[in-house]
Structures are given as C-alpha cells and as structure tokens.
Amino acid sequence: MPTNFRPENLVKLQMQNSKLQKLWEGVHSLAGLMVMVMFSVMFSMATNLQELDLSYCSSLVELTSSIQHLNKLKWLYMSYCKSLKILPAGMYLQSLDHLNLRRCSRLKILPDISTNISTLILDETAIDDFSFIFRLKKPINLGFCKTKIEKLWAIEQPLTSIMTMLSPTLKRLYLSNIPSLVELPSSIQNFHNLDILNITECINLKTLPTGINLQYLRDLDFTGCSRLRTFPDMSSSIIQLYVAQTGIVEVPFWINKFSKLKYLNMKSCSNLERVSLNIYKLNELSVDFSDCGALTEASWTDCPDNLFSEVSTHFICLNLDPEALLHQRPFVFEQLIMSGEQVPSYFTHRTTGTSSSLTIPLPSTSLSQPFFRHIS
Ligand SMILES: *[C@@H]1O[C@H](CO)[C@@H](O)[C@H](O)[C@H]1NC(C)=O
Ligand SMILES: *[C@@H]1O[C@H](CO)[C@@H](O)[C@H](O)[C@H]1NC(C)=O
C-alpha cells in the first residue's frame, strides 16, 4: 500500500482467496506480520467501510471484536471460510444487510446481529440455535440448507406455527437435507411475496399444501424430495419448476394452468408414468423427462385438433413409444436421437451405417411446428 493511502475513505475491501488467518488483532504467522499490522491500523480508521469480502479465506479462524466499529458495513461475505470458528459476540453491526456464511462448516454460534438484516445465508454451517430468526424484522432471503434448523420444530413447536412467526417479508427461502420435514404447511401462503422456494433433498417430504396460489412465485425447486408423489399445485405463476428425482407419478391435466412455465425438470423421476399432453398448450416450454424409466403413457384427452399447428414445444422425452405417438397425431420430428441396433420399422426413409450413430434425414420443419425429440 502506498504510504499516502487513506483508509478512512475505504468503502469496499475484497480479499477473497487470501491466506488471512486472523483479522485486526494478533498475528499468527511471522510472514503475515507486516500485513496484519497494516490491517489493524487500516481497519481502525476504515469506519466508512460498507462492503467486506473475505470469501474463500480458508485459513481465517476468528474475526475479532474490532469489527464492531464498522458501523456502516452493509455487506459481509464470508462464504467458504472453512476454518472460521468464532464471530465476536458484540459484533452487532447496525447497518448490516447481507451476511453470507455459506460453508463456514466449523461455525457453531451466530452472535447477535442487527435484526434489520435482509439476507442471511447460513447454508452448511454448524449453527444449532436458530431462534434468532423470529427476531428478524424484514428478512427477504434466508438460506438454511444442510443446517440443523429442524431443531426449531422438532423440539420446540410445529413447523406450522414457526411459519406464522416469521415475518411475511420473506421472498426467498432455501432449505435442504432436512429429514424431519414431512409436510409443508399451508401457512407458507403467509409469505405472499415469495418468489423463490427451494426445498431440496428433503427425503421425507410427502405433503404439499393445495388450494394456495403464491402469486409472485417464479422458481420452485423440490429436487431430490424422493417421497413427493404429487405434482405441486401452489402457484400458477411459476416460470421454472424443478421436481427432478421426486416420486411424482403424473403430470396432471391441469398443467396448462401454469401459463408462464418455461422450464420443467423431471429428470430421473423413476415413478413418473403419465404426462398429460395438455403440456403442449404451454408455449416455449422446455421439459426434461430424461431417465424417467416408467414413463410409457402420454394422455391425449382434451387436446384440440389444431393444437399442433399452434405451439412450439421442446420436448425431451425418454421411453415413450414413438410409433404409438406417430399413429395418433401427425408429429414432426426435428431431431431424433435413438440408441439400439435397428432403425425402427415405421421409418420410411432409411439409411444404413456401420458406426454406432447414423443420421436419418428428416423433412425440414418450420419452427412454428411442434417437434418431438426422442432419446432412448
Ligand atoms: C433498523 O432500521 C431502522 C430504519 O429502517 C432504524 O431506524 C433502526 O434503528 C434499525 N434498527 C436497528 C436495530 O439497527
Ligand atoms: C436450489 O438450491 C440448490 C442448492 O441448495 C441449488 O443447487 C439449486 O440450483 C437451487 N435451485 C434454483 C432453482 O435456484
């Protein structure tokens, strides 16, 4: 640092990936001595600091108490500080708005912080007392993936009342890997501003609320909730729906009410048997049904005749019998990827080849037409 450096004007400090061991007070290694002395001077003066990024400082063990003087600090990023054990008890930080501690896997205790904080990411930390979340006045984005948050409802009270005790300002909620989560209560509708709900790898989750419509919900992710058997019906505003590796059996006929849906991921849903072809009523939808071994049936009920000239649906599908489909409707294949030895008999244009892949020229299609991509 130049000698005329003025830390009192410092607003943002980025130190990602550095070899910092300790901030402000004390010194752990002689090699770091000069750096540490410089920082202790610099930070005592840097009271205008608004943003501090210490992500990936994998040697950092402790953040000492002089951080409490940073009264203007709004953003504190400390994700992937895998050695971090101690945050100072009095750190409070009255202006703090964003705190990201993702993967600080040794951190057990979160000290008192400003209850005005809006983003608090505690994914994969060892924190085990989460009662502070009820004190948050205007949480917007909360991440508790792979934490012990279930202690909140396993011991103290049912999840339903927890949901009602949390501020309705919440927009984004991330939970994952919580075995005690069996039912998502309908009180989730209190969070009427919710735009992302991400509940993954909750292997015992079976029941979702019905009859609710979260009007701002854009992304819904239940990936890996393997006991979930019914298609989520929580909002018709969804743009992206991730229900890969779930036990869902059917894509129901009311799929067409998801009029904004652009992406549906049902990869590896091994129980999926039926897909309502009302799915073709959704323009611009991309779906992934790969590795859905039980999918054999596509239901054509309520499918208007002119449907296929109107829509353009990208359909990636496994295991549907294309011959049966071809006999029912005049499909146009744009791309057909198949494995196996034989060219199917229903192909009138045939060619032979010795390599494992062969190309069959298909009639060129206009993009306004639907196409079917078959992978098996
Ligand atoms: C929270 O923010 C409000 C202004 O939005 C402020 O008046 C209040 O002092 C803050 N509370 C704390 C505990 O920092
Ligand atoms: C949901 O969270 C998981 C990690 O917890 C992440 O991998 C995934 O991308 C998230 N889904 C969405 C739609 O953001």
Side-chain angles (χ1 to χ4, degrees), residues 31-320:
L33 185 68
M34 290 310 289
V35 181
M36 287 304 142
V37 169
M38 189 193 76
F39 276 128
S40 67
V41 173
M42 184 159 78
F43 284 116
S44 62
M45 296 168 76
T47 49
N48 284 316
L49 199 68
Q50 291 188 7
E51 180 173 342
L52 180 58
D53 190 346
L54 300 169
S55 310
Y56 295 92
C57 290
S58 52
S59 305
L60 185 66
V61 176
E62 180 176 355
L63 195 62
T64 57
S65 56
S66 40
I67 192 173
Q68 67 186 311
H69 301 303
L70 300 181
N71 285 334
K72 295 191 178 160
L73 197 67
K74 280 189 183 163
W75 297 279
L76 178 56
Y77 303 107
M78 299 193 70
S79 51
Y80 296 87
C81 292
K82 61 183 186 194
S83 308
L84 184 73
K85 279 189 179 163
I86 300 169
L87 290 176
M91 82 178 225
Y92 195 71
L93 299 174
Q94 63 184 27
S95 303
L96 199 64
D97 187 59
H98 272 61
L99 177 59
N100 191 336
L101 295 166
R102 172 176 290 134
R103 288 260 185 118
C104 294
S105 49
R106 304 240 167 104
L107 186 68
K108 288 196 174 143
I109 297 170
L110 185 76
D112 262 356
I113 43 166
S114 167
T115 51
N116 279 344
I117 198 162
S118 76
T119 295
L120 182 58
I121 307 298
L122 301 178
D123 298 347
E124 298 180 59
T125 59
I127 290 169
D128 64 0
D129 179 0
F130 285 87
S131 48
F132 59 86
I133 67 171
F134 303 124
R135 296 196 292 271
L136 302 181
K137 288 186 199 135
K138 45 179 188 182
I140 289 177
N141 188 355
L142 298 178
F144 304 124
C145 294
K146 299 189 185 166
T147 62
K148 296 175 184 155
I149 188 152
E150 61 185 312
K151 283 192 166 184
L152 268 186
W153 60 85
I155 297 166
E156 291 174 33
Q157 44 224 317
L159 180 58
T160 318
S161 61
I162 295 219
M163 293 276 183
T164 50
M165 283 161 78
L166 252 172
S167 164
T169 51
L170 198 66
K171 282 188 168 176
R172 298 174 177 193
L173 182 61
Y174 294 80
L175 300 170
S176 86
N177 221 288
I178 297 170
S180 66
L181 186 62
V182 175
E183 176 176 1
L184 194 63
S186 54
S187 48
I188 190 114
Q189 69 182 320
N190 292 344
F191 306 128
H192 43 79
N193 291 319
L194 212 57
D195 66 7
I196 297 181
L197 182 61
N198 185 326
I199 300 185
T200 56
E201 314 290 336
C202 290
I203 53 165
N204 291 314
L205 181 65
K206 276 189 198 153
T207 315
L208 298 180
T210 52
I212 67 169
N213 191 6
L214 291 161
Q215 61 172 323
Y216 297 112
L217 199 61
R218 290 187 288 118
D219 288 4
L220 185 57
D221 195 337
F222 287 118
T223 300
C225 297
S226 48
R227 298 245 162 93
L228 193 65
R229 292 180 67 85
T230 51
F231 202 82
D233 183 15
M234 296 165 59
S235 165
S236 52
S237 310
I238 293 174
I239 296 173
Q240 303 198 81
L241 180 58
Y242 294 81
V243 279
Q245 296 155 43
T246 61
I248 291 176
V249 178
E250 178 182 43
V251 175
F253 67 93
W254 41 264
I255 183 74
N256 58 340
K257 81 178 181 190
F258 289 63
S259 57
K260 295 178 181 157
L261 196 64
K262 293 277 180 285
Y263 184 65
L264 173 63
N265 188 330
M266 298 197 72
K267 204 173 158 147
S268 305
C269 289
S270 52
N271 294 331
L272 184 68
E273 291 169 8
R274 292 178 297 277
V275 175
S276 164
L277 286 184
N278 273 354
I279 202 166
Y280 274 95
K281 293 179 182 168
L282 302 172
N283 269 311
E284 317 273 330
L285 174 67
S286 291
V287 301
D288 189 345
F289 289 133
S290 55
D291 204 16
C292 294
L295 183 61
T296 52
E297 197 182 307
S299 140
W300 295 83
T301 44
D302 302 324
C303 205
D305 281 346
N306 61 356
L307 184 65
F308 296 101
S309 54
E310 286 173 358
V311 296
S312 154
T313 301
H314 299 242
F315 204 110
I316 304 172
C317 180
L318 184 78
N319 277 335
L320 281 180

